[in-house]
Amino acid sequence: MKRWLHLIHRWLGLGLGLLVLAWLVSGLVMLWVPRPQLQATEVLQALSPLPTQGLLVPAQAFERAGLSVPATGARLSMRGEEPVWLFQTGGPGWQPVSAVSGQRLPLLQEGQVLALARTHAAALGISAANPRAELIQQDQWSIYGRFNPLRPLWRVALQDEAGTELYYAQASGELVLDTSRWERGWNWLGTVTHWLYFTPLRAYAGLWRQLVLWSSGVALLLCSLGLILGLQRLRLRGYASGSVSPYRGRWQRWHHLLGLGAGGVLAAWLFSGWLSMDPWGWPSSNPKDQTQAPWQGEKQALPAELPRLDLLPGLKEMEWQRVQGQSFWRLKTEQQSLLLDGRGKVLAHGLSEAQLLAALQAMHPQQQIRSHDWLSGPDLYYYGLRHQSRSFPVLRACLADAGATCYYLDPQAARIAQRVDDYGRADRWLFNALHRWDWPPLQAMSWLRDAVVVAWSLAAAGLCLAGCVLGWRRLRLQSVRKTNKAKESKP
């Protein structure tokens, strides 16, 4: 039996050792280089300030545009130098309508997107003397599902020193992504390798999922077998040589000792990565976006009047929001935002505790709110990571339901910031804690967390590297044996 375990471990290592090593190295890169994405502050920075007069109200613009499907959302921002209403009507993306004439805006053409890119580049402090545009469905950096409602996309290469590329939704004209040469280069070694997000493969979501699911599952088996074999060979009292390991070869010895030291952590890390692919329908944490529609409540007619647009100097965007059928306005600049009620009154502290609890109770009329309290800092389930921030304060309200569901309600944004139930809590510990190492003692000290992750990742990478060297030597030895045998068999 032990011989079979050795053989299985050896041949699985030959097949997957390099892949696990690549996962470890790419995970280290991801600590400091996230996938290319556009921050909300960058979008607002690129926009021109909104005019304060001469704009159509949402209901008027919607009617003039001849849109028949009721709007569920509306935003006012600038497309170049033209103020535009963006309406969400239940279909993919947003419908752009001129906020001056009420005419529906056609698809963005090449000349328009080049002019738009020059304007945005100037606002972002980027040189764009000779930009080039290309209409695409998807590429390596826009393969993610969140871009599906926005396709096709204009990709504009600014031809600057940093190799900046801007991506625009052709239908709405929104700036949705930016990348630089530095980001793209490191992400080939980081996120693309780590998630196996190669465009020809990721285009087939089912095939990609099965490949990642099975490769991570078999890699977990490989690591588990190695732990079993390593523990069997461990002698705490030492062998005749005085060592706890029977191996004398440098690479074999290091593979054994590093496996005993880092193999358990590597197995937990592979298990959490495998679990992230939802094997057998494992329910991951519910995305917050799925809860926004019930939070908004019944559909409501678009507002027939605008609030004062001079309340926030340098206003870049205004969004119409609904909370249980009540209208609110959110005004935004790069530095701050204001929440107004439907009559235009400024809510300096956002929604009150009573309003938030009433809205949550309306979402769950059959459930009681078991507890609620205000958070001014992170807790075990609502926290940020290196590349993700959280807004505070938030109201944490928990229901007396079977799943012990808790909501984190953002008063300033009038939105659900996060929803967590029993499945989400399990996912937090079985994935986030085991894969990202966001354990409570390390959460508050990012430098210590990074140091721990780097240390064990290097140890695990050394374990895999030693295994790859041993596997390569085994293949070479077998090749030599076959060659010699072939020579001996010749007459």
Side-chain angles (χ1 to χ4, degrees):
M1 181 63 180
K2 187 181 295 187
R3 170 177 167 76
W4 280 106
L5 291 180
H6 274 282
L7 289 173
I8 293 172
H9 179 68
R10 176 185 300 164
W11 289 105
L12 287 180
L14 288 172
L16 288 172
L18 283 175
L19 179 59
V20 177
L21 179 60
W23 280 338
L24 289 164
V25 173
S26 59
L28 284 175
V29 173
M30 291 172 65
L31 276 178
W32 290 279
V33 186
R35 62 180 172 86
Q37 52 188 324
L38 189 65
Q39 302 297 329
T41 53
E42 292 179 300
V43 177
L44 293 172
Q45 182 183 350
L47 297 175
S48 301
L50 285 166
T52 58
Q53 295 180 344
L55 301 176
L56 296 174
V57 300
Q60 191 177 17
F62 193 83
E63 182 181 359
R64 288 192 184 183
L67 297 172
S68 57
V69 181
T72 57
R75 290 187 289 128
L76 177 65
S77 63
M78 298 291 288
R79 181 194 278 193
E81 299 303 319
E82 181 178 13
V84 173
W85 279 109
L86 295 168
F87 294 110
Q88 196 170 41
T89 57
W94 295 74
Q95 300 292 330
V97 175
S98 171
V100 177
S101 66
Q103 299 297 309
R104 294 181 64 176
L105 299 180
L107 296 176
L108 208 60
Q109 300 303 309
E110 182 175 358
Q112 294 173 306
V113 77
L114 288 175
L116 200 55
R118 290 189 184 96
T119 301
H120 288 168
L124 295 170
I126 301 173
S127 173
N130 187 32
R132 297 180 181 178
E134 179 185 6
L135 188 64
I136 62 171
Q137 282 295 329
Q138 61 186 23
D139 65 1
Q140 183 63 60
W141 316 113
S142 60
I143 191 70
Y144 305 97
R146 67 185 184 89
F147 293 106
N148 288 342
L150 306 172
R151 306 187 198 281
L153 304 172
W154 280 107
R155 180 178 62 198
V156 182
L158 298 183
Q159 309 286 353
D160 61 328
E161 291 184 1
T164 307
E165 294 181 353
L166 304 180
Y167 292 70
Y168 294 86
Q170 188 191 28
S172 65
E174 297 172 273
L175 177 63
V176 296
L177 177 66
D178 69 341
T179 71
S180 67
R181 187 183 300 109
W182 185 88
E183 282 181 314
R184 296 190 295 271
W186 277 107
N187 267 270
W188 278 109
L189 186 57
T191 56
V192 176
T193 298
H194 196 77
W195 298 332
L196 302 184
Y197 253 49
F198 303 99
T199 304
L201 174 61
R202 190 60 183 87
Y204 299 93
L207 175 63
W208 168 81
R209 179 181 177 276
Q210 291 299 320
L211 178 63
V212 177
L213 182 66
W214 281 97
S215 59
S216 58
V218 176
L220 174 60
L221 175 61
L222 162 68
C223 186
S224 301
L225 287 177
L227 274 174
I228 294 172
L229 295 171
L231 290 171
Q232 287 178 347
R233 291 297 183 95
L234 176 66
R235 298 291 185 271
L236 294 179
R237 294 184 179 180
Y239 286 86
S241 63
S243 173
V244 297
S245 175
Y247 300 107
R248 295 185 179 182
R250 179 177 58 183
W251 289 106
Q252 287 179 315
R253 182 181 177 84
W254 276 112
H255 188 64
H256 185 211
L257 295 177
L258 285 172
L260 293 172
V265 178
L266 178 59
W269 187 71
L270 290 170
F271 169 73
S272 60
W274 173 75
L275 201 65
S276 71
M277 300 307 298
D278 301 339
W280 301 304
W282 168 263
S284 297
S285 181
N286 294 307
K288 64 180 181 181
D289 291 341
Q290 296 180 359
T291 62
Q292 297 300 339
W295 172 259
Q296 293 171 355
E298 296 181 358
K299 293 183 179 179
Q300 187 180 7
L302 287 164
E305 59 182 69
L306 290 176
R308 287 178 53 192
L309 301 184
D310 57 356
L311 292 173
L312 193 60
L315 178 64
K316 295 293 187 74
E317 185 177 74
M318 182 172 66
E319 182 180 6
W320 173 59
Q321 297 181 197
R322 293 177 294 117
V323 179
Q324 294 304 316
Q326 298 184 41
S327 288
F328 294 89
W329 293 102
R330 192 177 179 202
L331 282 59
K332 306 176 189 177
T333 68
E334 302 99 303
Q335 293 81 23
Q336 61 178 324
S337 66
L338 277 181
L339 188 68
L340 284 62
D341 65 15
R343 294 171 294 181
K345 178 183 176 182
V346 176
L347 305 177
H349 302 289
L351 298 183
S352 67
E353 179 178 303
Q355 288 174 305
L356 292 170
L357 292 176
L360 180 59
Q361 189 68 73
M363 285 179 61
H364 298 276
Q366 305 302 321
Q367 301 293 338
Q368 291 185 345
I369 298 177
R370 174 173 50 86
S371 64
H372 60 86
D373 58 342
W374 286 96
L375 296 181
S376 57
D379 67 0
L380 289 176
Y381 303 101
Y382 183 77
Y383 58 90
L385 295 172
R386 175 186 287 273
H387 307 299
Q388 177 190 29
S389 60
R390 292 291 193 182
S391 57
F392 293 98
V394 293
L395 180 66
R396 178 177 57 189
C398 299
L399 304 178
D401 62 346
T405 306
C406 290
Y407 287 87
Y408 296 82
L409 308 176
D410 186 339
Q412 289 288 352
R415 290 182 179 273
I416 297 172
Q418 184 171 306
R419 174 185 180 274
V420 180
D421 56 16
D422 281 342
Y423 291 123
R425 281 182 279 272
D427 192 67
R428 182 260 185 271
W429 295 111
L430 292 178
F431 175 71
N432 287 8
L434 294 180
H435 208 76
R436 296 175 176 168
W437 277 70
D438 53 357
W439 298 93
L442 300 178
Q443 275 178 234
M445 297 179 287
S446 60
W447 64 269
L448 180 59
R449 171 183 171 270
D450 290 348
V452 171
V453 171
V454 169
W456 88 258
S457 296
L458 291 177
L463 164 65
C464 293
L465 179 60
C468 290
V469 171
L470 293 173
W472 172 248
R473 287 181 173 180
R474 171 67 63 172
L475 288 177
R476 284 180 57 193
L477 179 61
Q478 288 191 341
S479 176
V480 170
R481 286 175 177 175
K482 286 183 179 180
T483 302
N484 293 337
K485 188 175 181 181
K487 289 180 180 179
E488 292 175 357
S489 63
K490 289 183 179 180

Short mmCIF file of all heavy atoms in Angstrom, two decimals, residues 26-64:
data_model
loop_
_atom_site.label_atom_id
_atom_site.label_comp_id
_atom_site.label_asym_id
_atom_site.label_seq_id
_atom_site.Cartn_x
_atom_site.Cartn_y
_atom_site.Cartn_z
N SER A 26 2.36 33.38 -8.29
CA SER A 26 1.38 34.37 -8.74
C SER A 26 0.59 34.94 -7.57
O SER A 26 0.21 36.12 -7.57
CB SER A 26 0.43 33.75 -9.77
OG SER A 26 -0.25 32.63 -9.22
N GLY A 27 0.35 34.11 -6.54
CA GLY A 27 -0.34 34.63 -5.35
C GLY A 27 0.48 35.70 -4.65
O GLY A 27 -0.08 36.68 -4.13
N LEU A 28 1.81 35.53 -4.63
CA LEU A 28 2.67 36.56 -4.05
C LEU A 28 2.59 37.86 -4.85
O LEU A 28 2.54 38.96 -4.28
CB LEU A 28 4.11 36.06 -4.00
CG LEU A 28 4.45 35.06 -2.90
CD1 LEU A 28 5.87 34.56 -3.05
CD2 LEU A 28 4.26 35.69 -1.52
N VAL A 29 2.56 37.76 -6.16
CA VAL A 29 2.44 38.95 -7.00
C VAL A 29 1.13 39.68 -6.70
O VAL A 29 1.08 40.91 -6.62
CB VAL A 29 2.52 38.57 -8.49
CG1 VAL A 29 2.22 39.79 -9.38
CG2 VAL A 29 3.90 38.01 -8.83
N MET A 30 0.06 38.91 -6.50
CA MET A 30 -1.26 39.51 -6.27
C MET A 30 -1.35 40.26 -4.95
O MET A 30 -2.27 41.06 -4.76
CB MET A 30 -2.34 38.42 -6.33
CG MET A 30 -2.55 37.86 -7.73
SD MET A 30 -3.65 36.43 -7.74
CE MET A 30 -5.20 37.17 -7.19
N LEU A 31 -0.42 39.99 -4.03
CA LEU A 31 -0.41 40.76 -2.78
C LEU A 31 -0.25 42.25 -3.05
O LEU A 31 -0.81 43.09 -2.35
CB LEU A 31 0.72 40.28 -1.87
CG LEU A 31 0.47 39.07 -0.99
CD1 LEU A 31 1.74 38.73 -0.22
CD2 LEU A 31 -0.69 39.29 -0.04
N TRP A 32 0.54 42.59 -4.07
CA TRP A 32 0.86 44.00 -4.34
C TRP A 32 0.31 44.51 -5.66
O TRP A 32 0.21 45.72 -5.85
CB TRP A 32 2.38 44.18 -4.31
CG TRP A 32 2.92 44.05 -2.92
CD1 TRP A 32 2.94 45.01 -1.95
CD2 TRP A 32 3.50 42.89 -2.32
NE1 TRP A 32 3.49 44.52 -0.79
CE2 TRP A 32 3.85 43.21 -0.99
CE3 TRP A 32 3.76 41.59 -2.78
CZ2 TRP A 32 4.44 42.30 -0.12
CZ3 TRP A 32 4.35 40.68 -1.91
CH2 TRP A 32 4.68 41.03 -0.60
N VAL A 33 -0.06 43.62 -6.56
CA VAL A 33 -0.56 44.06 -7.87
C VAL A 33 -1.93 43.44 -8.10
O VAL A 33 -2.04 42.27 -8.47
CB VAL A 33 0.39 43.67 -9.02
CG1 VAL A 33 -0.10 44.28 -10.33
CG2 VAL A 33 1.81 44.11 -8.72
N PRO A 34 -3.03 44.19 -7.88
CA PRO A 34 -4.36 43.63 -8.11
C PRO A 34 -4.67 43.60 -9.61
O PRO A 34 -3.92 44.15 -10.42
CB PRO A 34 -5.28 44.62 -7.39
CG PRO A 34 -4.55 45.93 -7.49
CD PRO A 34 -3.08 45.58 -7.41
N ARG A 35 -5.76 42.97 -9.96
CA ARG A 35 -6.17 42.96 -11.37
C ARG A 35 -6.53 44.38 -11.80
O ARG A 35 -6.98 45.20 -10.98
CB ARG A 35 -7.36 42.03 -11.58
CG ARG A 35 -8.63 42.41 -10.84
CD ARG A 35 -9.73 41.41 -11.14
NE ARG A 35 -10.91 41.62 -10.32
CZ ARG A 35 -11.89 42.47 -10.61
NH1 ARG A 35 -11.81 43.20 -11.71
NH2 ARG A 35 -12.94 42.60 -9.82
N PRO A 36 -6.34 44.71 -13.06
CA PRO A 36 -6.68 46.06 -13.53
C PRO A 36 -8.15 46.38 -13.31
O PRO A 36 -9.02 45.59 -13.69
CB PRO A 36 -6.34 46.02 -15.02
CG PRO A 36 -5.34 44.93 -15.16
CD PRO A 36 -5.74 43.91 -14.13
N GLN A 37 -8.41 47.48 -12.68
CA GLN A 37 -9.79 47.92 -12.48
C GLN A 37 -9.81 49.43 -12.29
O GLN A 37 -8.80 50.02 -11.89
CB GLN A 37 -10.42 47.21 -11.29
CG GLN A 37 -9.62 47.27 -10.01
CD GLN A 37 -10.20 46.39 -8.94
OE1 GLN A 37 -11.42 46.24 -8.82
NE2 GLN A 37 -9.36 45.76 -8.13
N LEU A 38 -10.94 50.00 -12.58
CA LEU A 38 -11.09 51.45 -12.51
C LEU A 38 -11.75 51.82 -11.19
O LEU A 38 -12.84 51.32 -10.87
CB LEU A 38 -11.94 51.94 -13.69
CG LEU A 38 -12.03 53.43 -13.91
CD1 LEU A 38 -10.68 54.00 -14.29
CD2 LEU A 38 -13.05 53.74 -15.01
N GLN A 39 -11.10 52.66 -10.41
CA GLN A 39 -11.67 53.09 -9.14
C GLN A 39 -12.73 54.17 -9.37
O GLN A 39 -12.64 54.95 -10.32
CB GLN A 39 -10.56 53.64 -8.23
CG GLN A 39 -9.44 52.66 -7.96
CD GLN A 39 -9.90 51.42 -7.21
OE1 GLN A 39 -10.85 51.49 -6.41
NE2 GLN A 39 -9.25 50.30 -7.46
N ALA A 40 -13.71 54.20 -8.48
CA ALA A 40 -14.79 55.19 -8.61
C ALA A 40 -14.25 56.61 -8.59
O ALA A 40 -14.74 57.48 -9.32
CB ALA A 40 -15.81 54.98 -7.48
N THR A 41 -13.22 56.85 -7.79
CA THR A 41 -12.64 58.20 -7.73
C THR A 41 -11.98 58.57 -9.06
O THR A 41 -11.98 59.74 -9.44
CB THR A 41 -11.62 58.29 -6.59
OG1 THR A 41 -10.66 57.23 -6.73
CG2 THR A 41 -12.29 58.17 -5.24
N GLU A 42 -11.40 57.59 -9.76
CA GLU A 42 -10.79 57.86 -11.06
C GLU A 42 -11.84 58.24 -12.09
O GLU A 42 -11.62 59.13 -12.93
CB GLU A 42 -10.01 56.64 -11.53
CG GLU A 42 -8.78 56.31 -10.71
CD GLU A 42 -8.06 55.08 -11.21
OE1 GLU A 42 -8.69 54.00 -11.22
OE2 GLU A 42 -6.89 55.18 -11.59
N VAL A 43 -12.99 57.56 -12.06
CA VAL A 43 -14.08 57.89 -12.98
C VAL A 43 -14.53 59.33 -12.74
O VAL A 43 -14.69 60.11 -13.69
CB VAL A 43 -15.26 56.92 -12.80
CG1 VAL A 43 -16.42 57.32 -13.71
CG2 VAL A 43 -14.84 55.50 -13.11
N LEU A 44 -14.75 59.68 -11.48
CA LEU A 44 -15.21 61.03 -11.16
C LEU A 44 -14.16 62.08 -11.52
O LEU A 44 -14.49 63.17 -11.98
CB LEU A 44 -15.57 61.11 -9.68
CG LEU A 44 -16.79 60.28 -9.24
CD1 LEU A 44 -16.93 60.27 -7.73
CD2 LEU A 44 -18.06 60.80 -9.90
N GLN A 45 -12.89 61.74 -11.31
CA GLN A 45 -11.82 62.68 -11.65
C GLN A 45 -11.79 62.97 -13.14
O GLN A 45 -11.50 64.10 -13.56
CB GLN A 45 -10.48 62.09 -11.19
CG GLN A 45 -9.29 63.02 -11.46
CD GLN A 45 -7.97 62.39 -11.06
OE1 GLN A 45 -7.94 61.33 -10.42
NE2 GLN A 45 -6.87 63.02 -11.45
N ALA A 46 -12.11 61.98 -13.96
CA ALA A 46 -12.06 62.16 -15.41
C ALA A 46 -13.23 62.98 -15.94
O ALA A 46 -13.16 63.50 -17.06
CB ALA A 46 -12.03 60.79 -16.10
N LEU A 47 -14.32 63.09 -15.17
CA LEU A 47 -15.51 63.79 -15.64
C LEU A 47 -15.39 65.30 -15.46
O LEU A 47 -14.78 65.78 -14.50
CB LEU A 47 -16.75 63.30 -14.88
CG LEU A 47 -17.13 61.82 -15.06
CD1 LEU A 47 -18.30 61.47 -14.15
CD2 LEU A 47 -17.47 61.54 -16.51
N SER A 48 -16.02 66.03 -16.37
CA SER A 48 -16.13 67.49 -16.22
C SER A 48 -17.24 67.80 -15.21
O SER A 48 -18.18 67.00 -15.04
CB SER A 48 -16.46 68.14 -17.56
OG SER A 48 -15.47 67.85 -18.52
N PRO A 49 -17.17 68.95 -14.53
CA PRO A 49 -18.24 69.30 -13.58
C PRO A 49 -19.57 69.48 -14.30
O PRO A 49 -19.64 69.92 -15.44
CB PRO A 49 -17.75 70.62 -12.97
CG PRO A 49 -16.28 70.62 -13.19
CD PRO A 49 -16.05 69.90 -14.49
N LEU A 50 -20.64 69.15 -13.61
CA LEU A 50 -21.99 69.29 -14.16
C LEU A 50 -22.42 70.75 -14.16
O LEU A 50 -22.10 71.50 -13.22
CB LEU A 50 -22.99 68.47 -13.33
CG LEU A 50 -22.97 66.96 -13.51
CD1 LEU A 50 -23.75 66.28 -12.39
CD2 LEU A 50 -23.56 66.57 -14.87
N PRO A 51 -23.15 71.17 -15.19
CA PRO A 51 -23.75 72.51 -15.13
C PRO A 51 -24.85 72.55 -14.08
O PRO A 51 -25.44 71.53 -13.75
CB PRO A 51 -24.32 72.70 -16.55
CG PRO A 51 -24.55 71.31 -17.04
CD PRO A 51 -23.49 70.47 -16.43
N THR A 52 -25.12 73.71 -13.56
CA THR A 52 -26.12 73.83 -12.49
C THR A 52 -27.48 74.27 -13.01
O THR A 52 -28.45 74.29 -12.25
CB THR A 52 -25.64 74.82 -11.42
OG1 THR A 52 -25.39 76.09 -12.04
CG2 THR A 52 -24.35 74.32 -10.76
N GLN A 53 -27.58 74.61 -14.29
CA GLN A 53 -28.85 75.08 -14.84
C GLN A 53 -29.04 74.51 -16.25
O GLN A 53 -28.10 73.99 -16.88
CB GLN A 53 -28.89 76.61 -14.89
CG GLN A 53 -28.86 77.28 -13.53
CD GLN A 53 -28.90 78.79 -13.64
OE1 GLN A 53 -28.67 79.36 -14.70
NE2 GLN A 53 -29.21 79.45 -12.53
N GLY A 54 -30.27 74.62 -16.75
CA GLY A 54 -30.58 74.24 -18.13
C GLY A 54 -30.68 72.75 -18.36
O GLY A 54 -30.52 72.28 -19.50
N LEU A 55 -30.97 71.96 -17.33
CA LEU A 55 -31.05 70.51 -17.46
C LEU A 55 -32.49 70.03 -17.35
O LEU A 55 -33.29 70.56 -16.56
CB LEU A 55 -30.20 69.84 -16.37
CG LEU A 55 -28.71 70.18 -16.35
CD1 LEU A 55 -28.03 69.52 -15.17
CD2 LEU A 55 -28.05 69.75 -17.66
N LEU A 56 -32.81 69.03 -18.12
CA LEU A 56 -34.12 68.40 -18.03
C LEU A 56 -34.20 67.54 -16.78
O LEU A 56 -33.22 66.90 -16.38
CB LEU A 56 -34.39 67.52 -19.25
CG LEU A 56 -34.47 68.21 -20.61
CD1 LEU A 56 -34.61 67.17 -21.72
CD2 LEU A 56 -35.66 69.17 -20.64
N VAL A 57 -35.38 67.51 -16.17
CA VAL A 57 -35.58 66.62 -15.03
C VAL A 57 -35.67 65.18 -15.56
O VAL A 57 -35.96 64.96 -16.75
CB VAL A 57 -36.85 66.99 -14.25
CG1 VAL A 57 -36.75 68.43 -13.74
CG2 VAL A 57 -38.10 66.83 -15.12
N PRO A 58 -35.43 64.17 -14.74
CA PRO A 58 -35.41 62.79 -15.23
C PRO A 58 -36.70 62.37 -15.94
O PRO A 58 -36.64 61.77 -17.01
CB PRO A 58 -35.19 61.97 -13.95
CG PRO A 58 -34.55 62.91 -13.00
CD PRO A 58 -35.07 64.26 -13.32
N ALA A 59 -37.85 62.69 -15.37
CA ALA A 59 -39.11 62.27 -15.98
C ALA A 59 -39.28 62.89 -17.36
O ALA A 59 -39.74 62.23 -18.31
CB ALA A 59 -40.28 62.66 -15.07
N GLN A 60 -38.88 64.13 -17.50
CA GLN A 60 -39.02 64.83 -18.79
C GLN A 60 -38.07 64.26 -19.83
O GLN A 60 -38.46 64.02 -20.98
CB GLN A 60 -38.76 66.32 -18.57
CG GLN A 60 -39.12 67.21 -19.74
CD GLN A 60 -38.90 68.67 -19.44
OE1 GLN A 60 -38.20 69.02 -18.48
NE2 GLN A 60 -39.49 69.56 -20.24
N ALA A 61 -36.82 64.03 -19.44
CA ALA A 61 -35.85 63.46 -20.37
C ALA A 61 -36.25 62.06 -20.80
O ALA A 61 -36.12 61.69 -21.97
CB ALA A 61 -34.47 63.45 -19.72
N PHE A 62 -36.75 61.28 -19.87
CA PHE A 62 -37.17 59.91 -20.16
C PHE A 62 -38.33 59.90 -21.15
O PHE A 62 -38.37 59.10 -22.09
CB PHE A 62 -37.56 59.22 -18.85
CG PHE A 62 -37.72 57.73 -18.95
CD1 PHE A 62 -36.62 56.90 -18.88
CD2 PHE A 62 -38.98 57.16 -19.11
CE1 PHE A 62 -36.76 55.52 -18.96
CE2 PHE A 62 -39.13 55.80 -19.21
CZ PHE A 62 -38.01 54.98 -19.13
N GLU A 63 -39.28 60.80 -20.94
CA GLU A 63 -40.45 60.86 -21.83
C GLU A 63 -40.05 61.32 -23.23
O GLU A 63 -40.50 60.74 -24.23
CB GLU A 63 -41.49 61.82 -21.24
CG GLU A 63 -42.77 61.93 -22.07
CD GLU A 63 -43.77 62.89 -21.47
OE1 GLU A 63 -43.46 63.46 -20.39
OE2 GLU A 63 -44.85 63.07 -22.06
N ARG A 64 -39.22 62.32 -23.33
CA ARG A 64 -38.80 62.82 -24.65
C ARG A 64 -38.00 61.77 -25.42
O ARG A 64 -38.06 61.71 -26.65
CB ARG A 64 -37.95 64.08 -24.49
CG ARG A 64 -38.74 65.31 -24.07
CD ARG A 64 -37.88 66.55 -24.23
NE ARG A 64 -38.56 67.75 -23.75
CZ ARG A 64 -38.06 68.97 -23.82
NH1 ARG A 64 -36.86 69.16 -24.35
NH2 ARG A 64 -38.74 70.02 -23.37
#
